[in-house]
Amino acid sequence: FASTLSTELTREWIEFTSKQDDDTDTADKIKAIEDEFKRLNVRGVFQRAAEGDCYFGRAQIFLEIDGADRGTPLILDPRTVKKGTLSRVVSVEAIWTTPSGYNALDPAAADFYKPSKWYMLGQEVHASRLMTVVTRPLPDILKPAFNFAGMSLSQLAEPYVDNWLRTRQSVADLINNFSTTALATSMDQILQGEDDGADLLDRADLFTATRSNKGLMLLDKEREELVQVNTPLSGLHELQAQSQEHMCSVSRMPAIVLTGISPSGLNASSDGEIRIFYDWIAAQQEAFWREPLEVILKTVQLSLFGEIDPDIGVAFVPLFQMTPKEESEIRLSDSQADCAYVAAGIIDPSEVRDRWAKDPNSG
């Protein structure tokens, strides 16, 4: 669950945007920011952090700024983040951190049950330098019991995984023993205690030794009878598939994404489920991962340029991608509409040309 979710969160990753379309300086800045993000491995850090959120219920990203006091707040200003001082961006597992203090007195306060500082293996670090992401938050009364983490996906998935393992093994055992052969024979003497059962056991050994599709089974015509009991196997595959689907439901992933197996059944299709999953991933990115990403972007700008350019932004690239055929069909319909607008005198051809020149998907 953790590796699949974290991989999908960062698969298409991000793109940097600018409000100034034709500004050469801005383009150079964006190129420098892209190179710095690659040097810092921000993509890998976010993937590792997303895994930690699944495992422990909490993801934390630490910004290492040379010469800065870790216990002081991170103020995004050229006087506090000087050029060339951002050395590392690190994902810290929740097992190594614990809150050093939090406000538990005033429920109306902005920092109520929000740690202002963390102990990171004995080092006190301000919360602004150790950015915390919790995608499955808990009520305030439960936060201290979970060390201010949320509900981990591993906890939520455990009963579903246990059911799946038990169902899988039960189905395998049933298939292995679905047919039972019974030999109805005389057992009077052994049941009355007058015999040690040696003759009966010898009869069973003979039966087992000669039991084969090519063997010949000899039975006493008067006193023995052969009975075969078969357990119906119909519906087992549906029970096993349903148990597997339950694991998909707790992680909100389609079966084709989580397991690589297409859903089975009449008119089964995963296209709609994948689109819904992509929308959910986009919602997760905007709700929980945009804030730390923007903090890193501003810190990178201060470290590179000594200032923050308000025209530069960042956007998550959608996971849903159209095929080249679909893109060409859209361009064709757009071009037909432009021709109609130009022919009607609504817009000028130069306006159409300018718009298409700025569109990276114009073809």
Side-chain angles (χ1 to χ4, degrees):
F1 303 111
S3 61
T4 302
L5 182 58
S6 62
T7 300
E8 290 296 316
L9 276 168
T10 57
R11 178 159 59 86
E12 293 294 337
W13 196 216
I14 58 174
E15 61 181 358
F16 297 100
T17 61
S18 173
K19 297 178 182 178
Q20 307 296 329
D21 296 327
D22 301 326
D23 191 348
T24 305
D25 292 339
T26 302
D28 294 339
K29 286 183 177 180
I30 289 178
K31 180 63 171 61
I33 292 172
E34 290 175 346
D35 294 340
E36 184 70 0
F37 265 60
K38 289 180 181 179
R39 182 188 73 83
L40 296 171
N41 191 26
V42 177
R43 184 177 187 175
V45 169
F46 271 70
Q47 182 176 357
R48 185 73 181 271
E51 287 184 354
D53 176 64
C54 294
Y55 290 136
F56 309 109
R58 184 178 77 217
Q60 291 185 300
I61 300 174
F62 175 68
L63 300 179
E64 180 69 81
I65 299 176
D66 295 337
D69 183 1
R70 294 181 174 184
T72 60
L74 174 62
I75 301 175
L76 298 176
D77 187 270
R79 292 167 292 181
T80 55
V81 182
K82 302 184 183 301
K83 275 190 174 185
T85 56
L86 179 60
S87 59
R88 292 187 305 146
V89 179
V90 185
S91 174
V92 181
E93 290 187 2
I95 194 69
W96 309 123
T97 62
T98 189
S100 65
Y102 57 93
N103 174 19
L105 300 176
D106 184 7
D111 61 343
F112 184 66
Y113 271 83
K114 292 182 180 179
S116 59
K117 291 186 178 182
W118 295 81
Y119 280 121
M120 188 168 63
L121 280 184
Q123 306 176 60
E124 195 172 57
V125 181
H126 196 271
S128 59
R129 298 181 185 273
L130 189 65
M131 298 177 290
T132 303
V133 177
V134 178
T135 62
R136 287 169 294 274
L138 293 168
D140 290 338
I141 196 67
L142 295 178
K143 289 179 180 178
F146 283 75
N147 204 24
F148 284 82
M151 179 63 70
S152 65
L153 184 57
S154 55
Q155 286 175 286
L156 291 175
E158 182 180 7
Y160 297 89
V161 174
D162 289 342
N163 289 340
W164 153 251
L165 293 175
R166 185 166 57 249
T167 302
R168 184 193 65 179
Q169 192 60 44
S170 299
V171 170
D173 293 340
L174 189 58
I175 293 174
N176 189 48
N177 302 294
F178 79 98
S179 179
T180 303
T181 303
L183 178 62
T185 186
S186 175
M187 300 182 64
D188 296 343
Q189 292 181 346
I190 190 171
L191 291 176
Q192 292 175 3
E194 299 176 1
D195 193 349
D196 60 358
D199 292 340
L200 180 64
L201 295 178
D202 290 340
R203 182 72 182 92
D205 290 339
L206 175 63
F207 174 83
T208 304
T210 57
R211 180 181 176 184
S212 170
N213 291 333
K214 297 181 180 180
L216 177 64
M217 176 55 58
L218 300 178
L219 298 177
D220 187 289
K221 183 177 180 181
E222 301 295 336
R223 305 177 60 187
E224 291 183 332
E225 180 184 356
L226 191 65
V227 180
Q228 195 161 24
V229 181
N230 295 327
T231 303
L233 299 181
S234 60
L236 287 183
H237 69 288
E238 296 176 353
L239 293 175
Q240 192 167 14
Q242 193 174 54
S243 180
Q244 194 172 46
E245 289 172 358
H246 288 170
M247 293 193 299
C248 298
S249 66
V250 71
S251 59
R252 302 191 66 168
M253 300 181 199
I256 186 66
V257 175
L258 181 62
T259 65
I261 301 174
S262 300
S264 59
L266 186 63
N267 296 327
S269 174
S270 59
D271 294 341
E273 290 87 344
I274 291 178
R275 182 63 185 269
I276 293 173
F277 173 66
Y278 286 169
D279 291 342
W280 178 72
I281 288 291
Q284 293 281 299
Q285 290 172 333
E286 292 294 335
F288 301 108
W289 301 101
R290 170 167 288 281
E291 183 176 352
L293 186 62
E294 290 184 345
V295 171
I296 295 175
L297 173 60
K298 293 177 181 178
T299 308
V300 164
Q301 290 191 67
L302 290 172
S303 180
L304 288 176
F305 318 123
E307 61 178 2
I308 298 174
D309 190 340
D311 292 333
I312 297 177
V314 63
F316 288 99
V317 179
L319 289 178
F320 180 77
Q321 302 289 332
M322 290 182 292
T323 64
K325 180 181 179 181
E326 292 172 337
E327 291 180 347
S328 65
E329 291 174 350
I330 292 176
R331 286 197 296 268
L332 176 61
S333 61
D334 288 343
S335 64
Q336 292 172 345
D338 289 336
C339 291
Y341 291 147
V342 171
I346 299 175
I347 58 177
D348 188 75
S350 61
E351 296 175 300
V352 178
R353 179 182 177 83
D354 183 60
R355 177 166 55 82
W356 282 107
K358 296 178 180 178
D359 186 358
N361 298 318
S362 64

